[in-house]
Amino acid sequence: MDILNETVDRTGADFAPVRFDTKIAVLLRDDLRTWQRLNVTAFLVSGLGSVLPELVGERYEDADGTAYLPMFRQPVLVLEGGKETLTAAHGRALSRALPVSVFTSELFATGNDRDNRAAVRAVHREQLDLVGLAVHGPRNAVDKILKGARMHP
């Protein structure tokens, strides 16, 4: 089943296809270690959810009534590419004025939000050593921004 286009209820019955007009995507540099990829992805998507509340669905609840936190309403695509791909995607996202979060290599050496923000602020946009970015926007625009990236294995 294509998770981007269909949903299945608890009993396994198919619903009509669900198409999203927008896309949430994370682009990771292809030389990161596994723990770095996971950490960077988590940080990047938290930025989108915090400023775009319409991306977040309703709370979840199990059959016993236990409540769980809400999550994004749509899938998050994770892609990878080289440093040049990230730099180009960053420039394209900014030129289209789409919401974008960034993670630079310097953030692996910091331990808190204040120091993270200071590390990014200390570097000019063209000099950022990007290891990841997340973007949300119209499907076509996000596809163009991520040109040259490939699906994460």
Side-chain angles (χ1 to χ4, degrees):
M1 173 176 33
D2 180 353
I3 65 167
L4 296 178
N5 298 321
E6 294 185 39
T7 58
V8 176
D9 71 11
R10 288 183 212 169
T11 64
D14 288 330
F15 291 150
V18 175
R19 300 278 311 160
F20 297 101
D21 294 333
T22 62
K23 187 176 277 190
I24 301 170
V26 174
L27 175 58
L28 302 171
R29 202 162 75 195
D30 57 9
D31 62 350
L32 298 178
R33 296 188 300 244
T34 301
W35 74 265
Q36 291 173 318
R37 291 170 187 254
L38 296 170
N39 183 268
V40 170
T41 299
F43 271 96
L44 289 170
V45 296
S46 72
L48 293 176
S50 67
V51 298
L52 299 166
E54 67 274 14
L55 291 179
V56 180
E58 296 181 27
R59 287 184 167 269
Y60 284 71
E61 184 176 297
D62 65 26
D64 299 312
T66 306
Y68 302 98
L69 294 174
M71 295 185 280
F72 287 133
R73 294 177 182 264
Q74 66 188 85
V76 177
L77 301 176
V78 182
L79 299 101
E80 69 174 9
K83 186 173 185 169
E84 302 78 22
T85 302
L86 252 115
T87 300
H90 179 247
R92 289 190 291 262
L94 294 177
S95 73
R96 286 174 172 77
L98 291 181
V100 61
S101 52
V102 297
F103 199 103
T104 66
S105 63
E106 292 83 6
L107 303 187
F108 290 124
T110 60
N112 60 74
D113 185 53
R114 182 193 65 230
D115 293 341
N116 286 352
R117 286 182 284 111
V120 173
R121 187 177 297 118
V123 181
H124 292 284
R125 179 177 48 239
E126 300 81 25
Q127 304 302 316
L128 291 172
D129 185 16
L130 296 168
V131 299
L133 64 81
V135 64
H136 171 261
R139 293 174 62 86
N140 294 356
V142 172
D143 288 343
K144 289 176 184 174
I145 287 167
L146 300 174
K147 184 179 178 181
R150 58 194 174 277
M151 288 300 291
H152 190 279

